[in-house]
Amino acid sequence: MPAPPTIKEIARRLNISASTVSRALHDHPSIGLRTKMRVQQLAAELNYEPNQTAIFFQQRKTFTIGVILPELSEAFFSAAISGIEDMAGRHQYSVLMGQSHDEEEREKQIVNTMKKHRVDGLIISIAKNTKDYTHFVSLQQAGIPVVFFDRIPNLADIHYVACDMVAGTVQAVKYLLGKGHRVIGMINGPDKLLASRQREEGYIKAMQKHRLKYDPTLVVSSDLTREGTDKAMSKLLSLKRHPTAIVAFNDYVAMDAVQYAVKKKYKINEDLTFVSYANLPISHYTAFPPVASVEQFPYVQGQRATEALLEILADPTSPWKKVTLESKLVIHTP
Amino acid sequence: MPAPPTIKEIARRLNISASTVSRALHDHPSIGLRTKMRVQQLAAELNYEPNQTAIFFQQRKTFTIGVILPELSEAFFSAAISGIEDMAGRHQYSVLMGQSHDEEEREKQIVNTMKKHRVDGLIISIAKNTKDYTHFVSLQQAGIPVVFFDRIPNLADIHYVACDMVAGTVQAVKYLLGKGHRVIGMINGPDKLLASRQREEGYIKAMQKHRLKYDPTLVVSSDLTREGTDKAMSKLLSLKRHPTAIVAFNDYVAMDAVQYAVKKKYKINEDLTFVSYANLPISHYTAFPPVASVEQFPYVQGQRATEALLEILADPTSPWKKVTLESKLVIHTP
DNA sequence: GTAAAATACGCAATCGTTTGACCTCCAAAA
DNA sequence: TTTTGGAGGTCAAACGATTGCGTATTTTAC
């Protein structure tokens, strides 16, 4: 492990000053052609590579963006990361990763690490348990821009990229109505989630557009565990006007619900039709895949978030970015 | 964005030297208690945070490990990353991410970026298309240790962590033999993959242990596309001694194979039983999940790779780490 | 032939922190 | 009274690259 060659070393060997070497390597106009050549050749010979850590330090810029997500192994987030990394790489930025495991403490710790690393900016999807936002405020004070992503805090002045579930839900319900279903159930997620509220809003909107009255008993909520979903299903199926179609909060819920229905001897796609929200790339391999699902484009969201951040970095005076992608119903041709 | 406070600033305000401040903050014994207190208090007040970029530069160490994987959004790799990030975080290391998309060019480019970033070490799963290993050699020359992971190059002196498929395959075949199957097919992957060769080896081994003769026509290979798998299935099912059980290269192949068999009116789990290798956390939601699958523990592999790398960083003279995890058959209770 | 302008380069400071090598008291030992 | 010596600091260099400014040498213009 011989010490890597530095500009100084090149300067010494060529009997010129370090500044000349630096400028020569940058093709600065004030350096003569001869010298440029000599420098560049020697640099190539020595396999010279600029020490980025020195440059980062000197330029006060790291060309690194931090990404903090709840769980790297979840399909939704890993697709998002992929989008982030691709877009960042395309602009010569690197990506520093952290996962909060949905814990506030860990999230704060990662924010701190990222701050110390002097990342140029951050993309964050906040942890479920995070109630206190002071760590985000501290980032703002430090002048580090943050683009929130998917799970966004309830604050006014922030940049964010998210996916609006309303449109997709409207399409989903309309689709079912078009197929003749008149009693449509919904298994929603926890009420406090924005995502849940949007789903319900979409549901109501679609009903209203079709001049059907909104029956609140048809919208039940699950805590997203298998048991929660089973309970939700039992509630729905025991209604006197019981649904012939169900919109499930996500693919996991849908799969659990399907299994429950099967156990109860319902014929899927005859007695009971399912529509879901896409989390899993392969839900169509399942026994009874939903007939359609609302796609959230995590990869694209990741890209957009990165784009937004890069724009902010390029122009720090840029106004608050509030990017909303529309979810979209994808019909699964069998 | 007021310039963040520095050691110099603290020194100036307290009318002491920067070195004293530095030592005070590090609890150096040669600084008096009074001064230490004053420094630490002011530091807290000003919200002082050491500039890591300066420290990285000065210490020639970044406490960052680079991770290069083919595809961040694949379940196997995203689970691995999760393990890597967890283990790294536990040791105050950060993780710089890159995905090669299985392209040699991109891989080289990322290696270069990582080198410039002066990551302390790397964890790499090489791209499918990579034939030329010079970029890895250059890392070695630069004194940056690399732990290869899962997809390891065919080189002698390297560190690696991988999962041996032999043991799991032996178990899988034995399991099927135990269930009374005597004609067991295998849909393998491309021959050049180590993973394929290990599967075949396991298959043969299990047969030999049961004193059954190895019939090579029962082992066919797929290029892992749907069409490839269909062809493989057709080959297997048209044999005169046709198999009652099939070991599939992975869950995707298994799912395709199952769909093919269903189309051909085979009764899954009666006429034909499947065992697979786990890529997908949720394959048991599918219509006909494999009765068992060989688990590769990507999360654990990620952890192990990180552990290995950290040990190497702590002791650069450490010998070549060659960690092999054993795959293991997991039986799916229906 | 001389002034002005262009060309090609060197000097030195700077970024923030760390660290080995001094320095300066003051008290206790000789 | 002169040493020692420890406690508590200070100084300055170093890490590697960048950059504003100054300057020597050459070229051009008149």
Side-chain angles (χ1 to χ4, degrees):
Chain A
M1 40 157 201
T6 71
I7 278 198
K8 287 184 188 172
E9 173 69 8
I10 297 183
R12 199 183 53 69
R13 296 215 194 191
L14 258 36
N15 257 318
I16 55 182
S17 80
S19 33
T20 302
V21 175
S22 172
R23 287 192 246 258
L25 292 171
H26 286 83
D27 219 30
H28 191 283
S30 92
I31 302 298
L33 197 57
R34 273 206 65 72
T35 345
K36 261 184 206 171
M37 301 283 289
R38 297 204 314 144
V39 169
Q40 285 170 5
Q41 197 195 332
L42 183 56
E45 260 173 44
L46 295 183
N47 249 307
Y48 168 77
E49 304 238 21
N51 183 333
Q52 285 296 114
T53 68
I55 298 177
F56 291 159
F57 168 48
Q58 205 262 21
Q59 313 267 291
R60 287 180 201 68
K61 180 145 167 84
T62 57
F63 287 95
T64 301
I65 71 183
V67 176
I68 307 179
L69 300 177
E71 207 67 54
L72 300 182
S73 54
E74 267 186 31
F76 179 86
F77 291 121
S78 71
I81 295 185
S82 185
I84 292 172
E85 203 275 338
D86 282 347
M87 184 59 74
R90 212 169 298 162
H91 294 265
Q92 343 290 345
Y93 272 75
S94 296
V95 175
L96 209 60
M97 283 287 334
Q99 64 183 335
S100 65
H101 289 299
D102 274 323
E103 284 160 28
E104 177 163 356
E105 251 338 291
R106 181 99 185 92
E107 182 174 272
K108 292 192 171 184
Q109 195 182 313
I110 298 176
V111 164
N112 230 284
T113 308
M114 299 266 177
K115 208 160 64 178
K116 291 201 297 191
H117 269 258
R118 295 289 205 269
V119 295
D120 293 339
L122 279 163
I123 295 176
I124 303 180
S125 190
I126 65 181
K128 247 182 234 160
N129 305 333
T130 299
K131 275 290 125 200
D132 173 37
Y133 294 158
T134 53
H135 49 308
F136 300 139
V137 177
S138 88
L139 283 172
Q140 195 171 358
Q141 288 173 345
I144 302 178
V146 178
V147 173
F148 289 97
F149 162 76
D150 190 57
R151 300 217 208 136
I152 66 185
N154 192 8
L155 295 173
D157 294 343
I158 55 169
H159 304 281
Y160 70 76
V161 172
C163 187
D164 182 14
M165 297 285 106
V166 177
T169 307
V170 169
Q171 291 170 28
V173 175
K174 274 191 178 176
Y175 174 77
L176 290 171
L177 289 169
K179 290 286 180 189
H181 296 279
R182 279 301 167 269
V183 188
I184 299 173
M186 168 174 265
I187 304 182
N188 212 346
D191 298 338
K192 60 185 169 186
L193 260 59
L194 176 63
S196 296
R197 293 199 300 276
Q198 289 182 345
R199 279 162 170 79
E200 183 160 11
E201 186 185 332
Y203 178 92
I204 297 176
K205 225 175 203 170
M207 290 308 226
Q208 288 175 340
K209 278 193 189 160
H210 277 246
R211 299 164 187 273
L212 293 170
K213 81 168 209 298
Y214 160 55
D215 176 358
T217 61
L218 281 170
V219 178
V220 300
S221 75
S222 162
D223 59 0
L224 310 182
T225 64
R226 165 165 225 120
E227 293 73 36
T229 299
D230 284 355
K231 243 186 269 176
M233 280 296 284
S234 112
K235 239 188 242 172
L236 281 179
L237 298 180
S238 65
L239 292 173
K240 46 204 171 304
R241 286 180 72 228
H242 87 251
T244 59
I246 292 179
V247 178
F249 184 80
N250 65 29
D251 281 336
Y252 294 100
V253 169
M255 291 185 297
D256 288 338
V258 165
Q259 293 202 339
Y260 180 90
V262 167
K263 206 180 304 166
K264 298 291 181 191
K265 306 294 180 197
Y266 283 83
K267 289 213 189 317
I268 309 300
N269 296 334
E270 294 181 26
D271 306 340
L272 211 45
T273 299
F274 284 87
V275 166
S276 171
Y277 295 78
N279 306 79
L280 307 175
I282 48 82
S283 62
H284 53 277
Y285 275 107
T286 58
F288 300 105
V291 295
S293 49
V294 178
E295 181 53 67
Q296 306 171 58
F297 311 107
Y299 181 89
V300 176
Q301 282 194 60
Q303 288 192 319
R304 287 273 204 289
T306 311
E307 272 177 357
L309 183 54
L310 292 175
E311 286 170 21
I312 296 161
L313 290 175
D315 170 21
T317 71
S318 125
W320 300 110
K321 305 252 177 203
K322 301 192 179 299
V323 180
T324 305
L325 265 79
E326 295 244 310
S327 55
K328 198 181 151 209
L329 190 72
V330 175
I331 293 159
H332 300 165
T333 54
Chain B
M1 39 152 203
T6 71
I7 279 198
K8 288 184 186 172
E9 173 70 8
I10 297 182
R12 198 182 55 68
R13 295 215 195 190
L14 257 38
N15 256 317
I16 56 183
S17 81
S19 33
T20 303
V21 174
S22 173
R23 287 194 241 260
L25 291 170
H26 288 82
D27 219 30
H28 191 283
S30 91
I31 303 298
L33 196 56
R34 274 206 63 76
T35 341
K36 261 183 205 171
M37 301 283 289
R38 298 203 314 145
V39 169
Q40 285 169 6
Q41 197 194 332
L42 183 57
E45 261 174 44
L46 296 182
N47 249 308
Y48 168 77
E49 303 238 22
N51 183 334
Q52 285 296 116
T53 68
I55 298 177
F56 291 159
F57 169 48
Q58 208 263 24
Q59 312 268 290
R60 286 178 201 69
K61 179 145 166 90
T62 57
F63 287 96
T64 301
I65 70 184
V67 175
I68 307 179
L69 300 178
E71 208 67 54
L72 300 182
S73 54
E74 266 185 32
F76 179 85
F77 291 121
S78 71
I81 295 185
S82 184
I84 292 172
E85 203 277 337
D86 282 347
M87 184 58 74
R90 213 170 296 160
H91 291 83
Q92 344 291 344
Y93 272 75
S94 296
V95 174
L96 209 60
M97 283 288 334
Q99 63 184 337
S100 65
H101 288 299
D102 272 323
E103 285 160 27
E104 177 163 355
E105 250 339 289
R106 181 101 185 89
E107 181 174 274
K108 292 193 170 184
Q109 195 182 315
I110 298 176
V111 164
N112 230 283
T113 308
M114 299 266 177
K115 209 161 63 177
K116 291 202 298 191
H117 269 259
R118 294 290 205 270
V119 296
D120 294 339
L122 279 163
I123 295 176
I124 302 181
S125 190
I126 65 179
K128 244 181 236 161
N129 305 333
T130 299
K131 275 290 127 202
D132 172 36
Y133 295 158
T134 54
H135 49 309
F136 300 139
V137 176
S138 88
L139 284 171
Q140 195 171 358
Q141 288 174 344
I144 302 179
V146 178
V147 173
F148 289 96
F149 161 76
D150 189 57
R151 299 215 207 139
I152 65 185
N154 192 9
L155 295 172
D157 293 343
I158 56 168
H159 304 281
Y160 69 76
V161 172
C163 187
D164 182 15
M165 297 285 104
V166 177
T169 306
V170 170
Q171 291 170 30
V173 175
K174 275 191 176 175
Y175 173 77
L176 290 171
L177 289 169
K179 290 286 180 191
H181 296 279
R182 279 302 168 269
V183 187
I184 299 175
M186 168 173 265
I187 304 182
N188 212 346
D191 297 337
K192 59 186 169 184
L193 259 59
L194 176 63
S196 296
R197 293 198 300 275
Q198 289 182 346
R199 280 163 170 79
E200 182 160 12
E201 185 184 334
Y203 178 92
I204 298 176
K205 225 176 202 167
M207 290 308 224
Q208 288 175 339
K209 278 194 190 159
H210 275 246
R211 299 162 189 275
L212 293 170
K213 80 168 208 299
Y214 159 57
D215 177 359
T217 62
L218 281 170
V219 177
V220 300
S221 76
S222 161
D223 59 0
L224 310 182
T225 64
R226 164 164 228 122
E227 293 72 35
T229 300
D230 285 354
K231 242 186 270 176
M233 280 296 284
S234 114
K235 238 188 243 175
L236 282 180
L237 297 180
S238 65
L239 292 174
K240 45 205 171 306
R241 285 180 71 227
H242 86 252
T244 60
I246 292 177
V247 178
F249 184 80
N250 66 29
D251 281 336
Y252 294 100
V253 170
M255 291 185 297
D256 288 338
V258 164
Q259 294 202 339
Y260 180 90
V262 167
K263 207 179 303 167
K264 298 290 181 190
K265 307 293 180 197
Y266 284 82
K267 289 214 191 314
I268 310 299
N269 297 334
E270 293 181 27
D271 306 340
L272 211 44
T273 299
F274 284 88
V275 165
S276 170
Y277 295 77
N279 306 79
L280 306 174
I282 48 82
S283 63
H284 53 278
Y285 276 106
T286 57
F288 301 104
V291 296
S293 50
V294 179
E295 181 54 67
Q296 306 172 60
F297 312 106
Y299 181 90
V300 175
Q301 282 195 60
Q303 288 192 320
R304 288 272 204 289
T306 311
E307 272 176 359
L309 183 54
L310 292 174
E311 284 170 22
I312 296 161
L313 290 175
D315 170 21
T317 72
S318 126
W320 300 110
K321 306 252 177 202
K322 302 195 179 296
V323 180
T324 305
L325 265 80
E326 296 244 308
S327 54
K328 199 182 150 208
L329 189 72
V330 175
I331 292 157
H332 300 165
T333 55

